[in-house]
Amino acid sequence: MVAALIDPEDFNVEQATKVGKTVEKLGAGCVFIGGSTIADQAHLDHIVMSIKHETSLPVLLFPGNITGISQHADAILFSSLLNSTNTYFIIGAQAIGSIQVMKTKLEAIPMGYLVFGDQSTTGFVGQVRAIPLDKPGIAVMYAMAAHYLGMRSLYLEAGSGSDKAISSEVVSAVRNNYPGLLIVGGGITSPEKASAIAHAGADLLVIGNMLQTNDFENRLATIIKAVK
Ligand code: 1GP
């Protein structure tokens, strides 16, 4: 399955809604809404409401901070950035945001979030000690820690716009051990990359940056076709 990631910082409501309708037509399974630098929660709310209104896709929040919560979504990926060096991103933001999540009655999906490589905004903002892209063993260590901590989903992140996506070796090593929902994103820009990651055992591929390009419809169509 493919998830389309919309960062509210990069779209106005009209553009985001248009993208939502297009990805639904192309066969995406859900929409993720989030980003590392969301400041305007009213804008986030408007985008979530509009996509909910204009499409039938499930809308899941993918927050980088406590500003990424909207009561209008279907669920929230309640994540811990496990390889951050700052406890705020591991448990601090989650504690502060938890009361709002409880009040909104959003479904909270527990998720371990692992950032690979060292050039992404999410890695910089989240103060990560990045997992090397060529070290499947380290990825498996974190994946199993997430599993034993009860996290029933895990996101392997190469960073938005990254040149290198998560390798099929890393995905396959994690898949062979981690039983939960395996989400992979960052730099998936071709059907070949998407197909390799899907075959290696990812359950959900996340495509973000591409949605801002003019020809994304054709490119995303080939990726969805390759994955399916
Ligand atoms: C970023 O993994 C997502 O959080 C998507 O990455 O923008 O490179 O598609 P891209």
Side-chain angles (χ1 to χ4, degrees), residues 4 21 28-29 39 76 80 85 92 96 98 128 132-134 165 171 182 195-196:
K21 286 162 100 168
I76 180 167
S80 172
T85 59
I96 297 168
S98 66
V128 303
L133 284 155
D134 59 352
V171 175
L182 186 55
S195 174

Side-chain angles (χ1 to χ4, degrees), residues 87-156:
T87 54
Y88 177 78
F89 294 102
I90 301 170
I91 188 59
Q94 295 77 356
I96 297 168
S98 66
I99 303 301
Q100 197 185 343
V101 170
M102 186 167 62
K103 284 182 181 160
T104 58
K105 301 195 172 31
L106 282 165
E107 179 189 357
I109 300 169
M111 184 178 92
Y113 188 43
L114 300 179
V115 175
F116 294 69
D118 49 15
Q119 289 171 349
S120 63
T121 301
T122 186
F124 178 82
V125 173
Q127 300 174 37
V128 303
R129 191 157 70 101
I131 299 174
L133 284 155
D134 59 352
K135 299 285 184 200
I138 298 178
V140 172
M141 277 168 31
Y142 275 93
M144 295 318 290
H147 173 54
Y148 295 138
L149 285 165
M151 296 169 178
R152 58 187 167 88
S153 63
L154 184 72
Y155 193 133
L156 309 180

